[in-house]
PDB file of all heavy atoms in Angstrom:
ATOM      1  N   SER A  23       0.847  -1.185   0.000  1.00 96.00           N
ATOM      2  CA  SER A  23       0.000   0.000   0.000  1.00 96.00           C
ATOM      3  C   SER A  23       0.890   1.246   0.000  1.00 96.00           C
ATOM      4  O   SER A  23       2.098   1.142   0.260  1.00 96.00           O
ATOM      5  CB  SER A  23      -0.885   0.010   1.256  1.00 96.00           C
ATOM      6  OG  SER A  23      -0.065   0.200   2.410  1.00 96.00           O
ATOM      7  N   PRO A  24       0.326   2.426  -0.266  1.00 95.00           N
ATOM      8  CA  PRO A  24       1.149   3.643  -0.196  1.00 95.00           C
ATOM      9  C   PRO A  24       1.867   3.799   1.138  1.00 95.00           C
ATOM     10  O   PRO A  24       3.038   4.196   1.168  1.00 95.00           O
ATOM     11  CB  PRO A  24       0.128   4.763  -0.433  1.00 95.00           C
ATOM     12  CG  PRO A  24      -0.909   4.125  -1.308  1.00 95.00           C
ATOM     13  CD  PRO A  24      -1.019   2.712  -0.822  1.00 95.00           C
ATOM     14  N   ALA A  25       1.206   3.486   2.235  1.00 94.00           N
ATOM     15  CA  ALA A  25       1.844   3.616   3.547  1.00 94.00           C
ATOM     16  C   ALA A  25       3.009   2.642   3.678  1.00 94.00           C
ATOM     17  O   ALA A  25       4.072   2.976   4.218  1.00 94.00           O
ATOM     18  CB  ALA A  25       0.821   3.376   4.650  1.00 94.00           C
ATOM     19  N   GLU A  26       2.805   1.425   3.181  1.00 94.00           N
ATOM     20  CA  GLU A  26       3.882   0.429   3.254  1.00 94.00           C
ATOM     21  C   GLU A  26       5.056   0.818   2.361  1.00 94.00           C
ATOM     22  O   GLU A  26       6.225   0.607   2.712  1.00 94.00           O
ATOM     23  CB  GLU A  26       3.335  -0.947   2.860  1.00 94.00           C
ATOM     24  CG  GLU A  26       2.383  -1.540   3.896  1.00 94.00           C
ATOM     25  CD  GLU A  26       1.666  -2.769   3.378  1.00 94.00           C
ATOM     26  OE1 GLU A  26       1.360  -2.824   2.161  1.00 94.00           O
ATOM     27  OE2 GLU A  26       1.420  -3.689   4.183  1.00 94.00           O
ATOM     28  N   VAL A  27       4.757   1.405   1.204  1.00 94.00           N
ATOM     29  CA  VAL A  27       5.825   1.874   0.318  1.00 94.00           C
ATOM     30  C   VAL A  27       6.632   2.963   0.995  1.00 94.00           C
ATOM     31  O   VAL A  27       7.868   2.989   0.907  1.00 94.00           O
ATOM     32  CB  VAL A  27       5.241   2.371  -1.019  1.00 94.00           C
ATOM     33  CG1 VAL A  27       6.287   3.159  -1.812  1.00 94.00           C
ATOM     34  CG2 VAL A  27       4.727   1.199  -1.850  1.00 94.00           C
ATOM     35  N   GLN A  28       5.959   3.839   1.712  1.00 92.00           N
ATOM     36  CA  GLN A  28       6.669   4.918   2.400  1.00 92.00           C
ATOM     37  C   GLN A  28       7.657   4.364   3.428  1.00 92.00           C
ATOM     38  O   GLN A  28       8.791   4.834   3.551  1.00 92.00           O
ATOM     39  CB  GLN A  28       5.660   5.852   3.075  1.00 92.00           C
ATOM     40  CG  GLN A  28       6.258   7.170   3.529  1.00 92.00           C
ATOM     41  CD  GLN A  28       5.193   8.219   3.746  1.00 92.00           C
ATOM     42  OE1 GLN A  28       4.010   7.920   3.905  1.00 92.00           O
ATOM     43  NE2 GLN A  28       5.603   9.478   3.751  1.00 92.00           N
ATOM     44  N   THR A  29       7.235   3.338   4.146  1.00 93.00           N
ATOM     45  CA  THR A  29       8.122   2.692   5.117  1.00 93.00           C
ATOM     46  C   THR A  29       9.277   1.992   4.407  1.00 93.00           C
ATOM     47  O   THR A  29      10.437   2.073   4.831  1.00 93.00           O
ATOM     48  CB  THR A  29       7.326   1.672   5.955  1.00 93.00           C
ATOM     49  OG1 THR A  29       6.255   2.346   6.626  1.00 93.00           O
ATOM     50  CG2 THR A  29       8.227   0.998   6.973  1.00 93.00           C
ATOM     51  N   PHE A  30       8.938   1.348   3.311  1.00 93.00           N
ATOM     52  CA  PHE A  30       9.943   0.636   2.527  1.00 93.00           C
ATOM     53  C   PHE A  30      11.018   1.602   2.004  1.00 93.00           C
ATOM     54  O   PHE A  30      12.214   1.290   2.005  1.00 93.00           O
ATOM     55  CB  PHE A  30       9.238  -0.064   1.363  1.00 93.00           C
ATOM     56  CG  PHE A  30      10.132  -0.844   0.458  1.00 93.00           C
ATOM     57  CD1 PHE A  30      10.818  -1.968   0.907  1.00 93.00           C
ATOM     58  CD2 PHE A  30      10.280  -0.471  -0.876  1.00 93.00           C
ATOM     59  CE1 PHE A  30      11.636  -2.702   0.058  1.00 93.00           C
ATOM     60  CE2 PHE A  30      11.096  -1.201  -1.732  1.00 93.00           C
ATOM     61  CZ  PHE A  30      11.772  -2.314  -1.267  1.00 93.00           C
ATOM     62  N   LEU A  31      10.594   2.785   1.579  1.00 90.00           N
ATOM     63  CA  LEU A  31      11.528   3.762   1.020  1.00 90.00           C
ATOM     64  C   LEU A  31      12.389   4.426   2.091  1.00 90.00           C
ATOM     65  O   LEU A  31      13.391   5.077   1.770  1.00 90.00           O
ATOM     66  CB  LEU A  31      10.766   4.837   0.251  1.00 90.00           C
ATOM     67  CG  LEU A  31      10.082   4.373  -1.042  1.00 90.00           C
ATOM     68  CD1 LEU A  31       9.268   5.495  -1.643  1.00 90.00           C
ATOM     69  CD2 LEU A  31      11.113   3.871  -2.048  1.00 90.00           C
ATOM     70  N   ALA A  32      11.998   4.290   3.343  1.00 88.00           N
ATOM     71  CA  ALA A  32      12.791   4.878   4.421  1.00 88.00           C
ATOM     72  C   ALA A  32      14.115   4.144   4.611  1.00 88.00           C
ATOM     73  O   ALA A  32      15.042   4.664   5.228  1.00 88.00           O
ATOM     74  CB  ALA A  32      11.996   4.868   5.722  1.00 88.00           C
ATOM     75  N   GLU A  33      14.207   2.951   4.043  1.00 87.00           N
ATOM     76  CA  GLU A  33      15.443   2.179   4.160  1.00 87.00           C
ATOM     77  C   GLU A  33      16.489   2.741   3.200  1.00 87.00           C
ATOM     78  O   GLU A  33      16.224   2.951   2.016  1.00 87.00           O
ATOM     79  CB  GLU A  33      15.176   0.711   3.829  1.00 87.00           C
ATOM     80  CG  GLU A  33      14.175   0.038   4.767  1.00 87.00           C
ATOM     81  CD  GLU A  33      13.884  -1.396   4.350  1.00 87.00           C
ATOM     82  OE1 GLU A  33      14.629  -1.916   3.485  1.00 87.00           O
ATOM     83  OE2 GLU A  33      12.915  -1.981   4.868  1.00 87.00           O
ATOM     84  N   THR A  34      17.665   2.992   3.699  1.00 79.00           N
ATOM     85  CA  THR A  34      18.747   3.580   2.902  1.00 79.00           C
ATOM     86  C   THR A  34      19.078   2.718   1.689  1.00 79.00           C
ATOM     87  O   THR A  34      19.311   3.234   0.588  1.00 79.00           O
ATOM     88  CB  THR A  34      20.005   3.759   3.763  1.00 79.00           C
ATOM     89  OG1 THR A  34      19.679   4.571   4.889  1.00 79.00           O
ATOM     90  CG2 THR A  34      21.128   4.410   2.959  1.00 79.00           C
ATOM     91  N   LYS A  35      19.067   1.412   1.867  1.00 87.00           N
ATOM     92  CA  LYS A  35      19.396   0.499   0.775  1.00 87.00           C
ATOM     93  C   LYS A  35      18.426   0.675  -0.389  1.00 87.00           C
ATOM     94  O   LYS A  35      18.835   0.689  -1.563  1.00 87.00           O
ATOM     95  CB  LYS A  35      19.364  -0.941   1.278  1.00 87.00           C
ATOM     96  CG  LYS A  35      19.660  -1.974   0.191  1.00 87.00           C
ATOM     97  CD  LYS A  35      19.511  -3.401   0.723  1.00 87.00           C
ATOM     98  CE  LYS A  35      19.684  -4.404  -0.404  1.00 87.00           C
ATOM     99  NZ  LYS A  35      19.471  -5.797   0.054  1.00 87.00           N
ATOM    100  N   THR A  36      17.151   0.800  -0.095  1.00 86.00           N
ATOM    101  CA  THR A  36      16.140   0.964  -1.138  1.00 86.00           C
ATOM    102  C   THR A  36      16.368   2.254  -1.914  1.00 86.00           C
ATOM    103  O   THR A  36      16.320   2.272  -3.150  1.00 86.00           O
ATOM    104  CB  THR A  36      14.727   0.977  -0.520  1.00 86.00           C
ATOM    105  OG1 THR A  36      14.531  -0.203   0.236  1.00 86.00           O
ATOM    106  CG2 THR A  36      13.674   1.070  -1.612  1.00 86.00           C
ATOM    107  N   ARG A  37      16.623   3.332  -1.181  1.00 83.00           N
ATOM    108  CA  ARG A  37      16.857   4.624  -1.829  1.00 83.00           C
ATOM    109  C   ARG A  37      18.054   4.538  -2.772  1.00 83.00           C
ATOM    110  O   ARG A  37      18.031   5.068  -3.886  1.00 83.00           O
ATOM    111  CB  ARG A  37      17.105   5.705  -0.768  1.00 83.00           C
ATOM    112  CG  ARG A  37      15.853   6.132  -0.023  1.00 83.00           C
ATOM    113  CD  ARG A  37      14.970   6.974  -0.913  1.00 83.00           C
ATOM    114  NE  ARG A  37      13.804   7.479  -0.189  1.00 83.00           N
ATOM    115  CZ  ARG A  37      12.845   8.237  -0.735  1.00 83.00           C
ATOM    116  NH1 ARG A  37      12.937   8.566  -2.004  1.00 83.00           N
ATOM    117  NH2 ARG A  37      11.824   8.640  -0.021  1.00 83.00           N
ATOM    118  N   ARG A  38      19.095   3.900  -2.316  1.00 87.00           N
ATOM    119  CA  ARG A  38      20.298   3.779  -3.147  1.00 87.00           C
ATOM    120  C   ARG A  38      20.021   2.979  -4.409  1.00 87.00           C
ATOM    121  O   ARG A  38      20.488   3.301  -5.503  1.00 87.00           O
ATOM    122  CB  ARG A  38      21.428   3.137  -2.350  1.00 87.00           C
ATOM    123  CG  ARG A  38      22.076   4.074  -1.320  1.00 87.00           C
ATOM    124  CD  ARG A  38      23.127   3.351  -0.528  1.00 87.00           C
ATOM    125  NE  ARG A  38      23.720   4.233   0.474  1.00 87.00           N
ATOM    126  CZ  ARG A  38      24.456   3.826   1.477  1.00 87.00           C
ATOM    127  NH1 ARG A  38      24.698   2.527   1.625  1.00 87.00           N
ATOM    128  NH2 ARG A  38      24.976   4.680   2.349  1.00 87.00           N
ATOM    129  N   GLU A  39      19.249   1.898  -4.277  1.00 88.00           N
ATOM    130  CA  GLU A  39      18.896   1.091  -5.433  1.00 88.00           C
ATOM    131  C   GLU A  39      18.120   1.902  -6.459  1.00 88.00           C
ATOM    132  O   GLU A  39      18.386   1.831  -7.666  1.00 88.00           O
ATOM    133  CB  GLU A  39      18.070  -0.121  -4.999  1.00 88.00           C
ATOM    134  CG  GLU A  39      18.874  -1.197  -4.294  1.00 88.00           C
ATOM    135  CD  GLU A  39      18.004  -2.354  -3.840  1.00 88.00           C
ATOM    136  OE1 GLU A  39      16.761  -2.223  -3.903  1.00 88.00           O
ATOM    137  OE2 GLU A  39      18.559  -3.381  -3.405  1.00 88.00           O
ATOM    138  N   LEU A  40      17.161   2.697  -5.980  1.00 89.00           N
ATOM    139  CA  LEU A  40      16.364   3.516  -6.889  1.00 89.00           C
ATOM    140  C   LEU A  40      17.224   4.565  -7.587  1.00 89.00           C
ATOM    141  O   LEU A  40      17.034   4.851  -8.783  1.00 89.00           O
ATOM    142  CB  LEU A  40      15.219   4.195  -6.130  1.00 89.00           C
ATOM    143  CG  LEU A  40      14.102   3.279  -5.639  1.00 89.00           C
ATOM    144  CD1 LEU A  40      13.072   4.075  -4.853  1.00 89.00           C
ATOM    145  CD2 LEU A  40      13.436   2.567  -6.806  1.00 89.00           C
ATOM    146  N   GLU A  41      18.144   5.160  -6.865  1.00 85.00           N
ATOM    147  CA  GLU A  41      19.017   6.167  -7.470  1.00 85.00           C
ATOM    148  C   GLU A  41      19.927   5.554  -8.522  1.00 85.00           C
ATOM    149  O   GLU A  41      20.301   6.212  -9.490  1.00 85.00           O
ATOM    150  CB  GLU A  41      19.842   6.874  -6.390  1.00 85.00           C
ATOM    151  CG  GLU A  41      19.004   7.807  -5.525  1.00 85.00           C
ATOM    152  CD  GLU A  41      19.832   8.539  -4.489  1.00 85.00           C
ATOM    153  OE1 GLU A  41      21.077   8.430  -4.542  1.00 85.00           O
ATOM    154  OE2 GLU A  41      19.248   9.227  -3.636  1.00 85.00           O
ATOM    155  N   GLU A  42      20.283   4.295  -8.356  1.00 85.00           N
ATOM    156  CA  GLU A  42      21.112   3.611  -9.350  1.00 85.00           C
ATOM    157  C   GLU A  42      20.301   3.247 -10.591  1.00 85.00           C
ATOM    158  O   GLU A  42      20.813   3.260 -11.712  1.00 85.00           O
ATOM    159  CB  GLU A  42      21.728   2.354  -8.745  1.00 85.00           C
ATOM    160  CG  GLU A  42      22.816   2.637  -7.717  1.00 85.00           C
ATOM    161  CD  GLU A  42      23.308   1.370  -7.039  1.00 85.00           C
ATOM    162  OE1 GLU A  42      22.819   0.272  -7.411  1.00 85.00           O
ATOM    163  OE2 GLU A  42      24.170   1.462  -6.144  1.00 85.00           O
ATOM    164  N   LEU A  43      19.013   2.940 -10.404  1.00 88.00           N
ATOM    165  CA  LEU A  43      18.178   2.486 -11.513  1.00 88.00           C
ATOM    166  C   LEU A  43      17.533   3.636 -12.277  1.00 88.00           C
ATOM    167  O   LEU A  43      17.303   3.537 -13.484  1.00 88.00           O
ATOM    168  CB  LEU A  43      17.079   1.552 -10.991  1.00 88.00           C
ATOM    169  CG  LEU A  43      17.536   0.204 -10.441  1.00 88.00           C
ATOM    170  CD1 LEU A  43      16.375  -0.516  -9.780  1.00 88.00           C
ATOM    171  CD2 LEU A  43      18.133  -0.651 -11.562  1.00 88.00           C
ATOM    172  N   PHE A  44      17.210   4.720 -11.567  1.00 85.00           N
ATOM    173  CA  PHE A  44      16.520   5.851 -12.167  1.00 85.00           C
ATOM    174  C   PHE A  44      17.417   7.084 -12.128  1.00 85.00           C
ATOM    175  O   PHE A  44      18.508   7.067 -11.581  1.00 85.00           O
ATOM    176  CB  PHE A  44      15.217   6.141 -11.417  1.00 85.00           C
ATOM    177  CG  PHE A  44      14.182   5.054 -11.538  1.00 85.00           C
ATOM    178  CD1 PHE A  44      14.143   4.002 -10.630  1.00 85.00           C
ATOM    179  CD2 PHE A  44      13.246   5.082 -12.553  1.00 85.00           C
ATOM    180  CE1 PHE A  44      13.188   3.002 -10.731  1.00 85.00           C
ATOM    181  CE2 PHE A  44      12.287   4.082 -12.674  1.00 85.00           C
ATOM    182  CZ  PHE A  44      12.261   3.046 -11.757  1.00 85.00           C
ATOM    183  N   PHE A  45      16.901   8.179 -12.721  1.00 74.00           N
ATOM    184  CA  PHE A  45      17.604   9.449 -12.599  1.00 74.00           C
ATOM    185  C   PHE A  45      17.630   9.847 -11.125  1.00 74.00           C
ATOM    186  O   PHE A  45      16.612   9.841 -10.443  1.00 74.00           O
ATOM    187  CB  PHE A  45      16.894  10.533 -13.420  1.00 74.00           C
ATOM    188  CG  PHE A  45      16.790  10.185 -14.876  1.00 74.00           C
ATOM    189  CD1 PHE A  45      15.574   9.837 -15.447  1.00 74.00           C
ATOM    190  CD2 PHE A  45      17.913  10.207 -15.687  1.00 74.00           C
ATOM    191  CE1 PHE A  45      15.474   9.519 -16.794  1.00 74.00           C
ATOM    192  CE2 PHE A  45      17.828   9.885 -17.042  1.00 74.00           C
ATOM    193  CZ  PHE A  45      16.606   9.541 -17.593  1.00 74.00           C
ATOM    194  N   ARG A  46      18.775  10.241 -10.629  1.00 69.00           N
ATOM    195  CA  ARG A  46      18.973  10.404  -9.188  1.00 69.00           C
ATOM    196  C   ARG A  46      17.994  11.390  -8.558  1.00 69.00           C
ATOM    197  O   ARG A  46      17.386  11.111  -7.533  1.00 69.00           O
ATOM    198  CB  ARG A  46      20.411  10.835  -8.905  1.00 69.00           C
ATOM    199  CG  ARG A  46      20.685  11.077  -7.436  1.00 69.00           C
ATOM    200  CD  ARG A  46      22.168  11.163  -7.153  1.00 69.00           C
ATOM    201  NE  ARG A  46      22.850   9.911  -7.465  1.00 69.00           N
ATOM    202  CZ  ARG A  46      24.136   9.694  -7.213  1.00 69.00           C
ATOM    203  NH1 ARG A  46      24.872  10.627  -6.688  1.00 69.00           N
ATOM    204  NH2 ARG A  46      24.679   8.528  -7.507  1.00 69.00           N
ATOM    205  N   ASP A  47      17.818  12.573  -9.191  1.00 66.00           N
ATOM    206  CA  ASP A  47      16.964  13.580  -8.563  1.00 66.00           C
ATOM    207  C   ASP A  47      15.513  13.140  -8.518  1.00 66.00           C
ATOM    208  O   ASP A  47      14.773  13.458  -7.587  1.00 66.00           O
ATOM    209  CB  ASP A  47      17.092  14.930  -9.282  1.00 66.00           C
ATOM    210  CG  ASP A  47      16.805  14.811 -10.762  1.00 66.00           C
ATOM    211  OD1 ASP A  47      16.885  13.692 -11.301  1.00 66.00           O
ATOM    212  OD2 ASP A  47      16.489  15.839 -11.384  1.00 66.00           O
ATOM    213  N   VAL A  48      15.082  12.358  -9.533  1.00 71.00           N
ATOM    214  CA  VAL A  48      13.698  11.881  -9.563  1.00 71.00           C
ATOM    215  C   VAL A  48      13.490  10.769  -8.549  1.00 71.00           C
ATOM    216  O   VAL A  48      12.420  10.653  -7.940  1.00 71.00           O
ATOM    217  CB  VAL A  48      13.332  11.393 -10.980  1.00 71.00           C
ATOM    218  CG1 VAL A  48      11.899  10.886 -11.008  1.00 71.00           C
ATOM    219  CG2 VAL A  48      13.507  12.518 -11.982  1.00 71.00           C
ATOM    220  N   ALA A  49      14.491   9.936  -8.332  1.00 69.00           N
ATOM    221  CA  ALA A  49      14.366   8.822  -7.394  1.00 69.00           C
ATOM    222  C   ALA A  49      14.161   9.298  -5.965  1.00 69.00           C
ATOM    223  O   ALA A  49      13.723   8.541  -5.105  1.00 69.00           O
ATOM    224  CB  ALA A  49      15.596   7.929  -7.480  1.00 69.00           C
ATOM    225  N   ARG A  50      14.482  10.561  -5.697  1.00 74.00           N
ATOM    226  CA  ARG A  50      14.313  11.097  -4.344  1.00 74.00           C
ATOM    227  C   ARG A  50      12.897  11.597  -4.086  1.00 74.00           C
ATOM    228  O   ARG A  50      12.576  12.005  -2.977  1.00 74.00           O
ATOM    229  CB  ARG A  50      15.315  12.235  -4.124  1.00 74.00           C
ATOM    230  CG  ARG A  50      16.769  11.774  -4.127  1.00 74.00           C
ATOM    231  CD  ARG A  50      17.723  12.946  -4.148  1.00 74.00           C
ATOM    232  NE  ARG A  50      19.110  12.491  -4.149  1.00 74.00           N
ATOM    233  CZ  ARG A  50      20.150  13.272  -4.440  1.00 74.00           C
ATOM    234  NH1 ARG A  50      19.953  14.536  -4.738  1.00 74.00           N
ATOM    235  NH2 ARG A  50      21.379  12.787  -4.419  1.00 74.00           N
ATOM    236  N   ASP A  51      12.076  11.599  -5.121  1.00 84.00           N
ATOM    237  CA  ASP A  51      10.737  12.190  -4.994  1.00 84.00           C
ATOM    238  C   ASP A  51       9.699  11.219  -5.523  1.00 84.00           C
ATOM    239  O   ASP A  51       9.244  11.324  -6.671  1.00 84.00           O
ATOM    240  CB  ASP A  51      10.700  13.507  -5.756  1.00 84.00           C
ATOM    241  CG  ASP A  51       9.383  14.228  -5.572  1.00 84.00           C
ATOM    242  OD1 ASP A  51       8.684  13.938  -4.591  1.00 84.00           O
ATOM    243  OD2 ASP A  51       9.052  15.080  -6.418  1.00 84.00           O
ATOM    244  N   VAL A  52       9.344  10.252  -4.700  1.00 90.00           N
ATOM    245  CA  VAL A  52       8.405   9.202  -5.104  1.00 90.00           C
ATOM    246  C   VAL A  52       6.985   9.618  -4.740  1.00 90.00           C
ATOM    247  O   VAL A  52       6.718  10.092  -3.643  1.00 90.00           O
ATOM    248  CB  VAL A  52       8.757   7.870  -4.409  1.00 90.00           C
ATOM    249  CG1 VAL A  52       7.757   6.783  -4.787  1.00 90.00           C
ATOM    250  CG2 VAL A  52      10.170   7.450  -4.776  1.00 90.00           C
ATOM    251  N   ARG A  53       6.056   9.434  -5.683  1.00 92.00           N
ATOM    252  CA  ARG A  53       4.649   9.753  -5.422  1.00 92.00           C
ATOM    253  C   ARG A  53       4.012   8.641  -4.589  1.00 92.00           C
ATOM    254  O   ARG A  53       4.070   7.465  -4.968  1.00 92.00           O
ATOM    255  CB  ARG A  53       3.879   9.887  -6.737  1.00 92.00           C
ATOM    256  CG  ARG A  53       4.222  11.126  -7.533  1.00 92.00           C
ATOM    257  CD  ARG A  53       3.406  11.150  -8.818  1.00 92.00           C
ATOM    258  NE  ARG A  53       3.765  12.291  -9.643  1.00 92.00           N
ATOM    259  CZ  ARG A  53       3.385  12.439 -10.897  1.00 92.00           C
ATOM    260  NH1 ARG A  53       2.630  11.504 -11.481  1.00 92.00           N
ATOM    261  NH2 ARG A  53       3.744  13.518 -11.586  1.00 92.00           N
ATOM    262  N   MET A  54       3.373   9.030  -3.516  1.00 94.00           N
ATOM    263  CA  MET A  54       2.684   8.047  -2.678  1.00 94.00           C
ATOM    264  C   MET A  54       1.242   7.875  -3.160  1.00 94.00           C
ATOM    265  O   MET A  54       0.274   8.020  -2.420  1.00 94.00           O
ATOM    266  CB  MET A  54       2.724   8.486  -1.217  1.00 94.00           C
ATOM    267  CG  MET A  54       4.124   8.482  -0.638  1.00 94.00           C
ATOM    268  SD  MET A  54       4.884   6.841  -0.788  1.00 94.00           S
ATOM    269  CE  MET A  54       6.609   7.307  -0.880  1.00 94.00           C
ATOM    270  N   SER A  55       1.124   7.587  -4.450  1.00 94.00           N
ATOM    271  CA  SER A  55      -0.190   7.369  -5.063  1.00 94.00           C
ATOM    272  C   SER A  55       0.020   6.494  -6.296  1.00 94.00           C
ATOM    273  O   SER A  55       1.137   6.104  -6.625  1.00 94.00           O
ATOM    274  CB  SER A  55      -0.818   8.709  -5.477  1.00 94.00           C
ATOM    275  OG  SER A  55      -0.122   9.251  -6.586  1.00 94.00           O
ATOM    276  N   TYR A  56      -1.094   6.205  -6.981  1.00 95.00           N
ATOM    277  CA  TYR A  56      -1.028   5.421  -8.212  1.00 95.00           C
ATOM    278  C   TYR A  56      -1.150   6.311  -9.450  1.00 95.00           C
ATOM    279  O   TYR A  56      -1.312   5.802 -10.566  1.00 95.00           O
ATOM    280  CB  TYR A  56      -2.141   4.365  -8.216  1.00 95.00           C
ATOM    281  CG  TYR A  56      -2.014   3.360  -7.088  1.00 95.00           C
ATOM    282  CD1 TYR A  56      -2.653   3.584  -5.876  1.00 95.00           C
ATOM    283  CD2 TYR A  56      -1.257   2.202  -7.234  1.00 95.00           C
ATOM    284  CE1 TYR A  56      -2.536   2.670  -4.825  1.00 95.00           C
ATOM    285  CE2 TYR A  56      -1.130   1.282  -6.201  1.00 95.00           C
ATOM    286  CZ  TYR A  56      -1.781   1.525  -4.993  1.00 95.00           C
ATOM    287  OH  TYR A  56      -1.648   0.629  -3.970  1.00 95.00           O
ATOM    288  N   ASP A  57      -1.066   7.608  -9.281  1.00 95.00           N
ATOM    289  CA  ASP A  57      -1.189   8.552 -10.387  1.00 95.00           C
ATOM    290  C   ASP A  57       0.008   8.394 -11.324  1.00 95.00           C
ATOM    291  O   ASP A  57       1.146   8.651 -10.939  1.00 95.00           O
ATOM    292  CB  ASP A  57      -1.243   9.986  -9.832  1.00 95.00           C
ATOM    293  CG  ASP A  57      -1.581  11.012 -10.899  1.00 95.00           C
ATOM    294  OD1 ASP A  57      -1.581  10.657 -12.095  1.00 95.00           O
ATOM    295  OD2 ASP A  57      -1.839  12.183 -10.538  1.00 95.00           O
ATOM    296  N   ASP A  58      -0.254   7.963 -12.560  1.00 96.00           N
ATOM    297  CA  ASP A  58       0.846   7.726 -13.503  1.00 96.00           C
ATOM    298  C   ASP A  58       1.012   8.844 -14.521  1.00 96.00           C
ATOM    299  O   ASP A  58       1.747   8.703 -15.503  1.00 96.00           O
ATOM    300  CB  ASP A  58       0.660   6.388 -14.225  1.00 96.00           C
ATOM    301  CG  ASP A  58      -0.553   6.379 -15.147  1.00 96.00           C
ATOM    302  OD1 ASP A  58      -1.416   7.286 -15.036  1.00 96.00           O
ATOM    303  OD2 ASP A  58      -0.644   5.468 -15.999  1.00 96.00           O
ATOM    304  N   ARG A  59       0.337   9.974 -14.319  1.00 96.00           N
ATOM    305  CA  ARG A  59       0.528  11.113 -15.220  1.00 96.00           C
ATOM    306  C   ARG A  59       1.869  11.787 -14.931  1.00 96.00           C
ATOM    307  O   ARG A  59       2.261  11.900 -13.770  1.00 96.00           O
ATOM    308  CB  ARG A  59      -0.600  12.125 -15.063  1.00 96.00           C
ATOM    309  CG  ARG A  59      -1.991  11.583 -15.400  1.00 96.00           C
ATOM    310  CD  ARG A  59      -3.049  12.619 -15.085  1.00 96.00           C
ATOM    311  NE  ARG A  59      -3.006  13.002 -13.669  1.00 96.00           N
ATOM    312  CZ  ARG A  59      -3.571  14.093 -13.166  1.00 96.00           C
ATOM    313  NH1 ARG A  59      -4.221  14.937 -13.962  1.00 96.00           N
ATOM    314  NH2 ARG A  59      -3.485  14.354 -11.881  1.00 96.00           N
ATOM    315  N   PHE A  60       2.533  12.231 -15.985  1.00 95.00           N
ATOM    316  CA  PHE A  60       3.820  12.871 -15.784  1.00 95.00           C
ATOM    317  C   PHE A  60       3.643  14.233 -15.120  1.00 95.00           C
ATOM    318  O   PHE A  60       4.449  14.631 -14.281  1.00 95.00           O
ATOM    319  CB  PHE A  60       4.545  13.036 -17.120  1.00 95.00           C
ATOM    320  CG  PHE A  60       6.008  13.345 -16.967  1.00 95.00           C
ATOM    321  CD1 PHE A  60       6.908  12.341 -16.656  1.00 95.00           C
ATOM    322  CD2 PHE A  60       6.483  14.635 -17.123  1.00 95.00           C
ATOM    323  CE1 PHE A  60       8.262  12.613 -16.504  1.00 95.00           C
ATOM    324  CE2 PHE A  60       7.826  14.926 -16.966  1.00 95.00           C
ATOM    325  CZ  PHE A  60       8.725  13.913 -16.658  1.00 95.00           C
TER     326      PHE A  60
END
């Protein structure tokens, strides 16, 4: 769920993985919703 994702993203390891896979500045700003519009 969005709440569970928020907890999951609080882990440093997860953040680092996202920054490696995506553009770094965007990986720091995750939407806590299912809105897929840019």
Side-chain angles (χ1 to χ4, degrees):
S23 68
E26 290 170 326
V27 167
Q28 194 161 19
T29 301
F30 180 65
L31 292 175
E33 299 177 12
T34 303
K35 178 184 175 183
T36 304
R37 286 287 184 181
R38 285 177 181 166
E39 287 178 350
L40 290 177
E41 289 182 8
E42 289 174 2
L43 293 172
F44 294 89
F45 301 108
R46 178 166 297 185
D47 55 340
V48 179
R50 294 170 180 166
D51 185 21
V52 178
R53 289 180 183 168
M54 294 303 152
S55 71
Y56 298 92
D57 189 350
D58 67 345
R59 299 175 301 163
F60 195 78

